[in-house]
Amino acid sequence: MGIYTQLNHKNYKKLKSIAEIAKNEIIDSLSSTLEENNMLNKVDFIESRIKAYNSLINKMKYKEYELTSKSMLKNINDFIGIRFVCKNINDVYSLVKCINKTRKLKI
């Protein structure tokens, strides 16, 4: 599958399987970063998801993006979603500060 292919359900499944691997790598990397900074204990739990096919197509149509995998990779910045849930808001700000220092991800 080239990155210029029409975005259909079959191609979405291929992209989703790659995104699942990336999502797990991101979670592992962030968890390691937080653990190295003694902050992983501030996380109650982690939620994650890959944007569903219908939701992705609807968003791309609404935004008037071309329905190709190239356009999706260029324009959709929430295809992978990861949420670190904390007990209090101060912990959230501490985590954001720690993660932003890595400059690996955009929050």
Side-chain angles (χ1 to χ4, degrees):
M1 178 183 78
I3 74 167
Y4 299 103
T5 59
Q6 187 68 24
L7 190 57
N8 57 35
H9 202 269
K10 182 180 176 183
N11 294 334
Y12 167 82
K13 284 183 176 183
K14 291 177 184 177
L15 289 169
K16 183 179 178 183
S17 65
I18 295 167
E20 286 287 350
I21 294 167
K23 178 186 75 167
N24 292 333
E25 290 289 326
I26 293 166
I27 291 171
D28 288 347
S29 176
L30 287 174
S31 295
S32 293
T33 298
L34 294 174
E35 189 170 29
E36 289 166 8
N37 289 280
N38 298 315
M39 300 192 73
L40 192 56
N41 61 340
K42 296 177 186 278
V43 177
D44 284 345
F45 60 93
I46 302 169
E47 295 178 338
S48 63
R49 61 104 179 113
I50 305 296
K51 187 175 276 300
Y53 176 73
N54 289 336
S55 178
L56 176 63
I57 295 299
N58 289 339
K59 183 172 190 173
M60 291 181 73
K61 285 180 179 178
Y62 175 78
K63 300 272 188 174
E64 298 181 355
Y65 297 141
E66 186 179 5
L67 294 178
T68 64
S69 50
K70 179 183 179 184
S71 177
M72 189 274 301
L73 292 169
K74 178 182 175 188
N75 297 303
I76 304 299
N77 59 15
D78 65 340
F79 185 57
I80 298 173
I82 301 170
R83 177 179 296 148
F84 285 75
V85 180
C86 303
K87 286 187 181 184
N88 69 61
I89 193 69
N90 291 332
D91 289 344
V92 172
Y93 292 122
S94 296
L95 292 180
V96 169
K97 187 175 180 180
C98 179
I99 292 168
N100 280 337
K101 283 182 185 177
T102 69
R103 302 192 188 278
K104 294 179 185 176
L105 296 172
K106 178 176 68 171
I107 296 180

